[in-house]
Amino acid sequence: MARSRKALMPDAPLAPVPSEILDQFVGQGPISSEELDAAVRRFKKAIIERALGGELTHHLGYPFGGEKPDATTNHRNGAGSKTVLTDDGPLAIAVPRDREGTFEPRLIAKHERRFTGFDDKILALYARGMTVREIQGFLAEMYGVEVSPDLISTVTDGIVAEVTAWQSRPLERLYPVVFFDALRVKIRDEATVRSKAIYLALAVLPDGTRDILGLWIEQTEGAKFWMKVFSDLKTRGCQDILIAVTDGLKGMSEALAAVFPETTLQTCIVHLIRHSLDFANWKERKPMATALRPIYTAASAEAASAALDEFERGPWGRKFPTVVASWRRAWTHIIPFFAFPPDVRRLIYTTNSLESVHAQLRKIIKTRGHFPNDEAATKLIWLALRNITAKWERTAYYWRPAMNQFAILFEGRFPPSNA
């Protein structure tokens, strides 16, 4: 996801407002909070009307009360009243008009009923998981503004074009590591609430920064779905992925081999360990985790296979044969892990970086029973992702030492050429 780094320099100091102007809005002596709010609203109204008057002056080419140029036939034609929704509640303003009706104000456009910043406030509330009803109540309580559900829907629908542009934006030619995982949400589909998966792809770029490549909603996964995902990535400019890390997603290996045949598919080791521990009770989990450790910390694939055989012959393997079976089923996509040096292993050991994103998303969507449709889910997830990725300023963990190893292991593919 496109993101902007926070400015490190402090904002420039604001120029003081002349005392003569302030005296017009705030008298001498104590002032209550209500009087202060009223003064701020009067000040905002005056500034808006002055700015609109300045726009009309620019449009006509001569100031109010000034001499009209001979070539100009248009002139001022009074003002119309208009109520706009602002951060401080509804505000009645006078909008100047011209005789020919060609004046198009930019500060508050024609037919616009919301001032700049009000839409952003609605989107900020929506991005934090608030429902339309909750947003209505919040605006009414905090600002005394009564807004309709249609208005809130119109504001949130306005980001659909941004979501579409983000989902189809050009990608980098190469991504060293891409993590794929799914988040389950409830979405209404044909009058039935279904549990659908929202799949995210989190990539580590060659410089170590991270980016969300896209999101896809599907009820079931399979080779056909993953073929669509990988084809989408390739169409948008991604020509190579060095390592794809997943949690045993169905059909991914077949689709990945068809679209990105040189990509190494790696199963998330941490997910496999967690799945193994699910078979044991609480008291057995710690000793079982200790018994599994020699497998995934082995120096080579051969040593790991021998450790798995020993685990199978031991007490844990005899008591939990399903654990051994799960490791053997995933073994093909486990063993690539052992071909990498420790610096790279630490990077691809787990999909926790994507799990962290999912955890933040769950906090936002947990208050919702379900989404009315796929588009509503996409809008909220995208807004939440925009807030989450805005905080990403440092490179991925363990990237600097791993980068040198990538240059050796994937010579000719990493670092990417400028061609």
Side-chain angles (χ1 to χ4, degrees), residues 1-4 160-173 175 178 199-205 209-216 229 231-239 382 385-386 389 392:
M1 170 166 290
R3 57 195 183 277
S4 59
V160 172
E162 294 183 53
V163 177
T164 303
W166 173 77
Q167 190 75 348
S168 58
R169 74 194 189 282
L171 300 178
E172 299 287 337
R173 189 188 68 80
Y175 292 100
V178 180
Y199 295 90
L200 298 179
L202 188 155
V204 179
L205 280 67
T209 57
R210 294 169 293 166
D211 193 14
I212 301 292
L213 303 186
L215 65 89
W216 302 266
V229 171
S231 298
D232 176 38
L233 296 179
K234 196 156 194 175
T235 301
R236 291 161 58 194
C238 176
Q239 300 301 313
W382 181 79
L385 288 173
R386 187 174 66 175
T389 56
W392 289 355

Side-chain angles (χ1 to χ4, degrees), residues 77-247:
N77 189 34
S81 62
K82 185 175 187 177
T83 300
V84 294
L85 297 177
T86 71
D87 294 348
D88 302 315
L91 190 66
I93 60 173
V95 181
R97 299 177 301 199
D98 64 326
R99 181 67 178 177
E100 296 178 356
T102 57
F103 175 49
E104 297 283 349
R106 298 178 59 185
L107 182 62
I108 301 177
K110 283 185 177 180
H111 313 296
E112 184 65 56
R113 292 289 178 179
R114 301 184 303 277
F115 188 63
T116 302
F118 189 80
D119 288 6
D120 292 340
K121 190 173 294 295
I122 292 179
L123 291 177
L125 296 173
Y126 189 81
R128 282 161 175 78
M130 295 180 68
T131 63
V132 171
R133 186 182 299 275
E134 290 170 340
I135 293 174
Q136 280 183 285
F138 179 86
L139 294 176
E141 180 179 351
M142 296 298 296
Y143 303 103
V145 178
E146 297 290 340
V147 296
S148 66
D150 290 341
L151 186 146
I152 297 175
S153 298
T154 299
V155 173
T156 57
D157 288 344
I159 67 167
V160 172
E162 294 183 53
V163 177
T164 303
W166 173 77
Q167 190 75 348
S168 58
R169 74 194 189 282
L171 300 178
E172 299 287 337
R173 189 188 68 80
L174 166 73
Y175 292 100
V177 182
V178 180
F179 301 94
F180 295 92
D181 207 352
L183 175 71
R184 284 282 173 180
V185 298
K186 294 186 181 299
I187 302 175
R188 182 173 291 278
D189 184 14
E190 298 180 354
T192 302
V193 177
R194 307 178 187 275
S195 178
K196 292 188 176 182
I198 297 182
Y199 295 90
L200 298 179
L202 188 155
V204 179
L205 280 67
D207 63 356
T209 57
R210 294 169 293 166
D211 193 14
I212 301 292
L213 303 186
L215 65 89
W216 302 266
I217 299 180
E218 192 73 19
Q219 186 172 345
T220 58
E221 60 185 343
K224 184 180 295 186
F225 165 73
W226 286 113
M227 181 71 74
K228 180 180 70 174
V229 171
F230 293 136
S231 298
D232 176 38
L233 296 179
K234 196 156 194 175
T235 301
R236 291 161 58 194
C238 176
Q239 300 301 313
D240 196 6
I241 298 173
L242 301 184
I243 304 174
V245 184
T246 70
D247 178 24

Side-chain angles (χ1 to χ4, degrees), residues 5 47 51 160 330 348 355 378:
R5 298 182 181 275
I47 291 177
V160 172
I348 65 174
E355 285 285 330
T378 301

Side-chain angles (χ1 to χ4, degrees), residues 15-51:
V17 179
S19 300
E20 296 78 6
I21 297 178
L22 293 176
D23 290 340
Q24 300 296 321
F25 293 90
V26 182
Q28 300 295 324
I31 183 172
S32 66
S33 59
E34 292 78 9
E35 291 172 331
L36 178 61
D37 291 339
V40 170
R41 289 169 57 82
R42 288 165 50 216
F43 195 47
K44 179 179 288 189
K45 171 182 169 67
I47 291 177
I48 292 175
E49 292 178 346
R50 176 65 65 88

